[in-house]
DNA sequence: TTTCATGTAACATAAATAGTTACATGAAGC
DNA sequence: GCTTCATGTAACTATTTATGTTACATGAAA
């Protein structure tokens, strides 16, 4: 089963957006995500509905953050994308089969618990803290500021 | 993203297999899983490699458990299926981008933790315990044994 | 030596996702 | 007001992945 990387992509784009003072067009976002503008607009529509970003049409328009980085948790972004977290599903081929019911009940408990844990962890991480974790020491200086 | 229900299906079939004293053909297994024999043979090849089931060719052949239900954990079956657990993946569009790296590092931690929890939970559940949880009170009696 | 079942390759189908084209909507600038 | 630029979204195409199917070789029992 293929994994869904929309959350990773969305977070990446959001952090680049945070570094700008002008709105970011879907074309710029697409370039930064390695995809195309329509896919971005489609994906980010969910984030807009959640208030995480806002978009404006027309000249000088584009996308900007809807609130501060510190007020956006990874869980909120995940939720807004309506992305599946746990890949394990349950079979429902034989709705009346007690064996199938017992199997699904056993799986449900474990899966729900893991999903809840992941959501808690993602809820505890803000975009601001991810932003702060960027290792700026690796960024080559644009110009030599003759440090030291 | 679509969920993968192979674990649920495999567990279901294994429990039906446990209730029999003769080998179960892939055709019977397919009927019980709502799929077809080749898909079953393909899926269960992984379980055979893990020793969870054994298969024999020829007349009277088919599939049977490789060890006792109490010695098979849900985690072992999951592992044998080589099934993805967590659906969240990471983007690697811009390998050099520090922002992308920071995002993926943040996600990795949370995802790994949730995956580990789920595996622990699945490892703690044996097929025998799932078998024991089947609610036999709901099974209609085949014939009236004039109980009471 | 016939029958039955697995093992597996090769191919076909189906379903989900992503990408593309096209165009309506609306906001800025001239 | 008209042009330009950007979003919003529908409709379509392409790609990818998983599933289902056909075909046939292998091997064991009767």
């Amino acid at each position: 089963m293929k994994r869904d990387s929309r959350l990773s992509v969305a977070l990446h784009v959001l952090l680049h957006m945070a570094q700008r003072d002008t709105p970011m067009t879907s074309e710029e976002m697409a370039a930064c995500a390695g995809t195309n503008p329509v896919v971005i607009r489609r994906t980010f529509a969910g984030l807009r509905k959640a208030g995480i970003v806002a978009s404006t049409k027309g000249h000088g328009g584009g996308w900007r953050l809807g609130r501060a980085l510190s007020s956006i948790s990874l869980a909120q972004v995940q939720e807004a994308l309506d992305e599946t977290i746990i890949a394990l599903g349950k079979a429902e081929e034989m709705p009346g089969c007690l064996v199938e019911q017992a199997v699904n009940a056993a799986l449900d408990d474990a899966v729900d618990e893991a999903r809840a844990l992941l959501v808690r962890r993602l809820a505890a991480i803000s975009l601001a803290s991810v932003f702060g974790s960027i290792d700026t020491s690796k960024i080559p200086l644009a110009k030599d500021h003759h440090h030291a």
Side-chain angles (χ1 to χ4, degrees), chain A:
Chain A
M1 163 137 313
K2 208 180 160 260
R3 290 211 189 81
D4 186 346
S5 58
R6 283 180 306 150
L7 176 58
S8 176
V9 168
L11 295 173
H12 179 195
V13 172
L14 285 170
L15 288 178
H16 278 293
M17 191 181 293
Q19 292 178 290
R20 308 183 28 141
D21 49 357
T22 57
M24 198 172 179
T25 67
S26 55
E27 192 158 8
E28 292 169 318
M29 294 158 75
C32 140
T35 179
N36 79 31
V38 178
V39 172
I40 290 287
R41 297 204 285 264
R42 201 145 63 193
T43 302
F44 275 71
L47 304 197
R48 181 180 48 226
K49 204 187 312 182
I52 294 166
V53 292
S55 62
T56 54
K57 290 181 175 178
H59 210 119
W63 300 74
R64 58 208 148 70
L65 294 177
R67 53 182 187 262
L69 279 187
S70 59
S71 300
I72 302 172
S73 72
L74 305 199
Q76 287 165 347
V77 178
Q78 197 283 319
E79 163 80 17
L81 289 172
D82 200 31
E83 197 187 26
T84 301
I85 292 182
I86 306 276
L88 300 184
K90 44 188 177 177
E92 284 170 349
E93 303 295 337
M94 316 190 78
C97 176
L98 293 172
V99 175
E100 183 174 80
Q101 287 172 23
V103 166
N104 287 337
L107 287 177
D108 272 347
D109 286 350
V111 166
D112 285 349
E113 205 177 336
R115 183 180 0 252
L117 171 67
L118 183 47
V119 170
R120 277 201 307 278
R121 285 284 173 276
L122 295 180
I125 307 174
S126 71
L127 269 181
S129 75
V130 178
F131 190 86
S133 76
I134 297 170
D135 186 355
T136 50
S137 74
K138 288 189 191 156
I139 300 176
L141 296 173
K143 272 206 168 180
D144 185 20
H145 287 271
H146 53 77
H147 42 79

